């Protein structure tokens, strides 16, 4: 009970005000490099390495967690800082390690900002002021399929292998051709234009040509093209895998837990000021497009994310056979895409713990009659917009309110926890707290200030005045989420925020890995490496001096 | 408008309430709990809110503009 592996990922947005950049936005890649330096002064951190030994965008720390620079091809300098907890044993541990990343990164950002004569702040949220969505994901250890479903899943994978191999070989060939073309074009540009440019200089005219810019543009075109043909080549493969997932993957969880997942935002939503000035419970709910993702990319977000499985299939031809082999394992991480970036510990804990408990209930077979939304995506949006009493259409034609659905799950959890042969103190405390929060949401929500983010943010906005325009309200909304200096941090300093873990626990989680998860060995490897010792590290294994050290393949944060 | 979207009423004394929903006996009985938003907490909330308001009035456009994360993440 509550003992499964849990991991958290969080993408932090960067707000950097640096004298060296003037009014322009600093290059976030430079900020990330400096942040890594500051993190490395506090804990041992090692680059993940990679096939060519040059991948320095992902790092692992001595706790077994990871930090990564997440950017898009179209805007490589405007990326996010993504931190992933190590694999944690249960929701309480995941909460601690999530807080540890918040603390470590906030301190590192402050140090870097001061060193550069300005300020750098990380924002822990899920939507910017322009409507772009990013933010957190949760991972839970689950059974992908069993029995005949597992057999069918594996048979489907076998059928997909030739398609994956063809797509992968075509991808590599296309890349090689493109690199040759891009290099040729750059050389032609340099060869043809440089003499003309020298002649301009000789005549006293201003320089009109910069070889570096020409080469840079060629590289940029290549990267854009690469993204395009990746989508073209792998698109059919992704669709096929998605069909396979829909048919066989996580069926009991999807049947039993979807109603919970689309309504839990009444507890763990962070609240957001929409562009039209209205209020919604969740930053991410409006960006969900599917129950399960069809393809890579931010335009196809799912309630349940499957990108990691698609990437594993891509491993067929990327010289990562272990990734491919991992698709055969019955236990896989279930990645929840619909969830907000909580700053209130109570909200974050309830999000993680009630979800873990509901997954326990599914596995115990007591949620076969759970209310199933007829359209989960529509339900998520309705609940985000209308709140507790949003009417959710269910399979079979009935409707139930969001809080009614939460109460259904709470009642099942109470009964199951009470009758369980191996009682769990944490589970008893959890269902009690869950029930109290639902009662307060209905009867006295203001008493949840400092405990639930959407209530706290809403109270702050209301206290700031209802005459503020939408831009001002959005600014307060954004600033609520800044680590260390945001409005929630101000409220915390005033004693308004309830804490479930103390500073010592967080300090330990910055330096010590969880003791009985794969992160323990990964953390030991990171700590044990000599500073210049060549190594590659990823979530499933390390390669040190030709020796492969496997970590137990389990759900993780990254 | 749903209950969650209602403004939170902040009285001069006593716990903050949602102002409109019916108060259950359970919640009324719980008013004396240490988590109720009493006057000191209320003042803290108002202090932070006034800071937030002042900053938003002066810098909202800049804060929103510089928050942009191009096209978001995964």
């Amino acid at each position: 009970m509550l003992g499964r592996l849990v991991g958290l990922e969080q993408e932090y947005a960067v707000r950097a005000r640096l004298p060296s950049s003037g009014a322009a936005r600093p290059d976030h890649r430079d900020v990330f490099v400096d942040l890594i330096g500051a993190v490395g002064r506090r804990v041992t951190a090692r680059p993940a390495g990679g096939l060519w030994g040059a991948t320095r965008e992902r790092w692992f720390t001595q706790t077994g967690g990871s930090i990564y620079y997440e950017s898009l091809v179209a805007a490589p300098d405007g990326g996010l800082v993504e931190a992933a907890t190590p694999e944690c044993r249960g929701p309480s541990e995941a909460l601690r390690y999530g807080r540890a990343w918040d603390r470590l990164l906030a301190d590192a950002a402050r140090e870097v900002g001061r060193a550069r004569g300005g300020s750098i702040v990380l924002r822990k949220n899920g939507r910017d002021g322009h409507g772009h969505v990013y933010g957190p994901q949760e991972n839970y250890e689950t059974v992908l399929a069993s029995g005949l479903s597992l057999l069918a899943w594996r048979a489907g994978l076998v059928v997909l292998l030739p398609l994956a191999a063809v797509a992968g070989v075509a991808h590599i060939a296309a890349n090689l051709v493109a690199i040759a073309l891009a290099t040729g074009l750059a050389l032609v540009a340099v060869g043809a234009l440089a003499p003309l440019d020298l002649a301009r200089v000789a005549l006293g005219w201003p320089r009109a040509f910069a070889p570096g810019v020409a080469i840079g543009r060629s590289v940029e075109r290549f990267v854009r093209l690469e993204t395009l043909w990746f989508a073209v080549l792998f698109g059919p493969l992704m669709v096929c895998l998605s069909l396979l997932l829909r048919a066989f993957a996580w069926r009991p969880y999807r049947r039993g837990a979807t109603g919970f997942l689309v309504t839990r935002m009444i507890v763990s939503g962070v609240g957001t000021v929409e562009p039209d000035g209205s209020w919604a419970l969740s930053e991410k709910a409006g960006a969900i497009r599917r129950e399960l993702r069809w393809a890579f990319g931010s335009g196809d977000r799912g309630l349940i994310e499957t990108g990691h499985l698609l990437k594993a299939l891509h491993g067929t031809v990327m010289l990562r056979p272990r990734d491919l082999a991992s698709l055969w394992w019955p236990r896989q991480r279930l990645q929840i895409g619909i969830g907000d970036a909580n700053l209130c510990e109570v909200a974050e804990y309830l999000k993680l713990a009630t979800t873990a408990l509901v997954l326990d209930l599914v596995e115990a077979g007591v949620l076969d009659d759970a209310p199933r939304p007829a359209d989960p995506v529509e339900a998520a949006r309705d609940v985000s917009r209308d709140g507790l009493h949003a009417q959710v259409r269910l399979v079979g034609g009935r409707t139930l309110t969001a809080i009614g659905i939460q109460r259904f799950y709470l009642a099942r959890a109470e009964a199951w926890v009470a009758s369980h042969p191996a009682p769990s103190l944490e589970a008893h405390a959890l269902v009690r707290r869950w029930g109290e929060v639902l009662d307060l949401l209905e009867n006295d929500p203001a008493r949840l200030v400092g405990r639930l983010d959407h209530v706290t943010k809403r109270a702050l906005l209301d206290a700031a005045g209802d005459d503020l325009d939408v831009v001002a309200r959005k600014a307060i909304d954004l600033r609520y989420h800044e680590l260390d200096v945001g409005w929630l941090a101000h409220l915390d300093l005033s004693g308004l925020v309830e804490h479930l873990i103390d500073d010592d626990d967080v300090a330990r989680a910055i330096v010590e890995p969880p003791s009985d998860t794969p992160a323990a060995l990964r953390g030991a490897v990171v700590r044990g490496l000599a500073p210049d010792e060549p190594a590659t590290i990823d979530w499933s294994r390390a390669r040190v001096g030709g020796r492969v050290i496997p970590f137990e393949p389990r759900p993780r944060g990254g | 408008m749903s209950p969650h979207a209602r403004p939170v009423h902040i009285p001069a004394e006593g716990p903050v309430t949602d102002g409109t929903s019916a108060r259950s006996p359970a919640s009324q009985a719980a008013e004396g709990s240490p988590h109720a938003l009493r006057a000191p907490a209320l003042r803290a909330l108002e202090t932070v809110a006034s800071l937030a308001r002042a900053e938003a009035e002066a810098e909202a456009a800049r804060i929103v503009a510089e928050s942009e994360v191009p096209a978001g993440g995964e």
Side-chain angles (χ1 to χ4, degrees):
Chain A
M1 196 183 297
L2 297 178
R4 73 184 65 242
L5 292 182
V6 181
L8 271 173
E9 298 171 44
Q10 175 63 44
E11 293 169 334
Y12 300 87
V14 176
R15 175 168 72 76
R17 292 176 177 173
L18 302 174
S20 57
S21 304
R25 182 184 68 202
D27 189 328
H28 289 181
R29 289 170 296 190
D30 297 337
V31 172
F32 180 76
V33 169
D34 286 356
L35 273 177
I36 287 294
V39 166
R41 284 187 281 281
R42 290 164 171 79
V43 296
T44 303
R46 291 287 308 218
L51 188 60
W52 316 111
T55 303
R56 300 182 74 82
E57 290 178 336
R58 182 180 294 283
W59 292 64
F60 286 92
T61 74
Q62 65 187 64
T63 64
S66 166
I67 181 169
Y68 177 68
Y69 182 69
E70 168 98 27
S71 66
L72 293 180
V73 172
D77 60 344
L80 300 145
V81 176
E82 180 184 291
T85 67
E87 302 90 332
C88 298
R89 184 64 65 190
S92 299
E93 197 165 66
L95 177 69
R96 278 201 301 280
Y97 281 89
R99 294 291 133 173
W101 265 125
D102 292 349
R103 179 76 271 139
L104 182 59
L105 289 174
D107 290 347
R110 189 171 54 250
E111 177 192 317
V112 172
R114 281 182 187 155
R116 294 179 64 165
S119 72
I120 293 174
V121 172
L122 298 179
R123 195 174 63 245
K124 185 184 180 183
N125 69 340
R127 195 196 292 188
D128 69 10
H130 302 261
H132 301 138
V133 173
Y134 42 94
Q137 288 169 341
E138 303 143 60
N139 295 296
Y140 300 88
E141 179 186 29
T142 51
V143 178
L144 179 95
S146 60
L148 287 177
S149 289
L150 182 61
L151 276 178
W153 161 255
R154 288 172 171 169
L157 288 176
V158 170
V159 172
L160 285 185
L161 277 182
L163 185 58
V166 168
V169 169
H171 185 224
I172 291 172
N175 278 352
L176 291 175
V177 170
I179 289 170
L181 281 175
T183 306
L185 285 174
L187 290 175
V188 167
V190 171
L193 298 177
L196 294 175
D197 194 50
L198 289 175
R200 290 173 65 94
V201 172
L203 291 170
W205 295 355
R207 190 174 278 277
F209 173 65
V213 172
I215 293 170
R217 283 181 186 152
S218 291
V219 171
E220 192 179 317
R221 283 189 200 109
F222 162 71
V223 171
R224 285 176 190 273
L225 270 175
E226 198 277 344
T227 306
L228 177 66
W229 65 62
F230 179 87
V232 171
L233 291 170
F234 282 91
L237 184 64
M238 292 172 192
V239 170
C240 291
L241 184 67
S242 296
L243 285 170
L244 204 54
L245 285 164
R246 279 167 170 72
F248 304 114
W250 294 301
R251 290 179 65 88
Y253 302 99
R254 286 157 54 198
R255 189 172 55 244
T258 298
F260 166 80
L261 289 175
V262 300
T263 54
R264 66 177 186 160
M265 69 185 85
I266 68 173
V267 172
S268 58
V270 298
T272 187
V273 177
E274 297 280 22
D276 64 0
S278 64
W279 177 250
L281 281 187
S282 168
E283 290 188 319
K284 284 186 89 174
I288 299 296
R289 296 287 176 270
R290 319 260 180 236
E291 182 189 8
L292 289 170
R293 179 186 276 272
W294 279 110
F296 286 129
S298 57
D300 197 48
R301 290 188 174 83
L303 290 170
I304 295 172
E305 288 292 356
T306 55
H308 57 300
L309 297 175
L310 296 171
K311 286 175 186 167
L313 192 59
H314 186 218
T316 315
V317 289
M318 298 309 287
L319 307 181
R320 299 176 68 85
R322 275 186 62 93
D323 285 358
L324 183 63
S326 71
L327 289 171
W328 262 257
W329 299 334
R331 295 192 79 80
Q332 298 281 348
R333 59 179 165 130
L334 176 72
Q335 190 169 64
I336 306 293
I338 183 166
D340 285 347
N342 295 111
L343 291 164
C344 288
E345 283 178 16
V346 172
E348 179 126 274
Y349 175 70
L350 284 173
K351 175 178 71 182
L352 295 167
T354 57
T355 304
L357 187 59
V358 166
L359 298 179
D360 285 341
L361 296 179
V362 169
E363 290 166 8
V366 297
L367 287 180
D368 292 344
D369 61 341
R372 293 170 58 197
D375 182 340
V377 174
E378 177 189 81
R381 290 184 192 164
D382 289 349
V383 174
S384 182
R385 187 188 61 238
D386 296 336
L388 306 187
H389 299 289
Q391 296 288 331
V392 177
R393 282 193 305 117
L394 303 176
V395 171
R398 284 190 310 138
T399 61
L400 202 55
T401 61
I403 194 159
I405 292 174
Q406 282 287 302
R407 288 200 180 282
F408 169 88
Y409 282 98
L410 171 64
R412 287 296 166 92
E414 284 172 333
W416 187 68
V417 168
S419 63
H420 199 279
S424 155
L425 287 177
E426 182 180 3
H428 279 282
L430 169 62
V431 293
R432 191 166 57 246
R433 186 184 284 274
W434 188 5
E436 287 170 1
V437 164
L438 293 184
D439 287 344
L440 287 173
L441 274 170
E442 279 199 300
N443 301 315
D444 201 356
R447 291 180 57 223
L448 293 168
V449 168
R451 288 191 265 182
L452 300 191
D453 286 294
H454 72 83
V455 174
T456 309
K457 190 190 288 182
R458 180 65 196 238
L460 181 70
L461 284 163
D462 290 340
D466 56 10
D467 56 329
L468 288 172
D469 64 24
V470 64
V471 178
R473 287 164 57 78
K474 191 67 200 174
I476 293 173
D477 174 353
L478 291 163
R479 288 267 290 119
Y480 174 93
H481 291 271
E482 290 180 353
L483 297 181
D484 241 12
V485 298
W487 299 131
L488 195 277
H490 279 73
L491 294 171
D492 194 9
L493 282 175
S494 304
L496 276 180
V497 178
E498 181 181 345
H499 288 274
L500 302 179
I501 48 179
D502 62 30
D503 290 345
D504 290 342
D505 284 334
V506 175
R508 274 195 295 279
I510 289 174
V511 295
E512 294 175 5
S515 59
D516 72 338
T517 79
L521 182 53
R522 192 181 310 108
V525 168
V526 169
R527 277 197 311 278
L529 289 169
D532 297 323
E533 192 171 1
T536 60
I537 306 169
D538 65 26
W539 289 102
S540 59
R541 65 200 172 281
R543 183 184 294 274
V544 184
R547 180 170 159 237
V548 175
I549 304 168
F551 310 132
E552 196 179 356
R554 287 291 173 80
R556 68 226 183 198
Chain B
M1 186 182 286
S2 63
H4 85 277
R6 289 185 194 119
V8 173
H9 281 308
I10 302 174
E13 291 292 335
V16 176
T17 74
D18 70 354
T20 50
S21 61
R23 306 287 305 284
S24 74
S27 71
Q28 289 171 22
E31 279 183 359
S33 88
H35 296 305
L37 203 57
R38 294 285 177 184
L42 175 60
R43 281 194 292 276
L45 179 67
E46 288 179 331
T47 300
V48 176
S50 67
L51 289 172
R53 181 185 175 96
E55 181 188 80
E57 286 177 334
E59 287 199 79
R62 179 185 182 189
I63 292 167
V64 171
E66 71 182 3
S67 76
E68 184 173 14
V69 173
E74 282 287 318

